[in-house]
Amino acid sequence: MTTHTDNTQNPLNTTILVTSATGKTGRRVAERLAARGVTVRAGSRTGATVFDWEAPETWAPALRGADAAYVAYYPDLAAPGAVEAMDAFGRLAVEHGVRRLTLLSGRGEPEAVLAEEALRAAASGVELTVVRASFFAQNFSEGLLAEGVTEGAVVFPAGDTAEPFIDADDLADVVVETLTADGHAGRVHEVTGPRPVGFAEVAAAISRASGRPVVYQAVSPAEYAGLLAGFGLPAGEAEWLAALFATLLDGHNASATDGVKRILGREPRSFAAFAAEAWGGPEAWDGLEA
């Protein structure tokens, strides 16, 4: 087993691998770590540090010599194959002397918990923190739902369920804190926005901010899977994704936590504030504060 000095408390001497570093959270985490003087290995399929969750042979070279790692599994920690991937990744982390891991997980995902447990067991002796996040606000601006927003409709199988959307910037700040400060090893942090917001409210906030009409259209999981398949997603993957969203948005996650405040000492950003910045309309602050 490779060993090296535990430098996680001295950012100038720390090397941290960021997996999925071109994604919504990985990019933000990498930027924040670099701003703190950390040596960042931005792992991606095409970057200087090659890392691909679908190519296990890329994992060990990326981990070699790293003090810590941000583990953001693609496509989702609840996806088929995630348990096996976490087991293999954890063993490699131990083998290469990694001292600290922060794992991004989904809030209220039973299958994701199995993957968390697999990493915890495989990386025995490594400081592991799990950050379970609610639905990202940025899914409406730079992710899954962005194209629909541009076309004026948020189409989703959420019914009238509300969700405490978390801003990816807040999430990234939490992740960086767990990677660079003591006191988080062995902890599971659940992080959300300040309050649950319904999808119709989301559409209204985006409308105010953008100055363009955006409406929410609720569909069934089967209808949503058909829409995804129509956009070219393989049928099996489309059905799995639609079923995951239906499970997450059945109401069991419709509450907020104080995770961001406990870790960062401040309130998380509201969806209204996110929308105002993302679409440029200060009037979006009215009516949807915290």
Side-chain angles (χ1 to χ4, degrees), residues 70 77 102-117 120 129-136 163-164 166 171 174-175 178 186-193 253 257 259-260 262-263:
Y70 171 49
L77 207 60
T102 293
L103 173 66
L104 175 64
S105 187
R107 184 177 182 233
E109 296 183 28
E111 293 83 1
V113 174
L114 299 178
E116 294 172 14
E117 293 172 348
R120 186 175 292 110
T129 306
V130 176
V131 178
R132 294 176 183 163
S134 59
F135 204 89
F136 299 159
E163 170 74 7
I166 188 166
L171 175 58
V174 167
V175 168
T178 65
R187 301 286 299 277
V188 176
H189 296 304
E190 288 202 1
V191 294
T192 72
N253 280 337
T257 72
V260 171
R262 282 190 295 101
I263 298 162

Side-chain angles (χ1 to χ4, degrees), residues 91-113:
R91 294 176 187 276
L92 285 171
V94 172
E95 180 181 336
H96 290 285
V98 175
R99 303 288 298 180
R100 181 172 290 179
L101 298 171
T102 293
L103 173 66
L104 175 64
S105 187
R107 184 177 182 233
E109 296 183 28
E111 293 83 1
V113 174

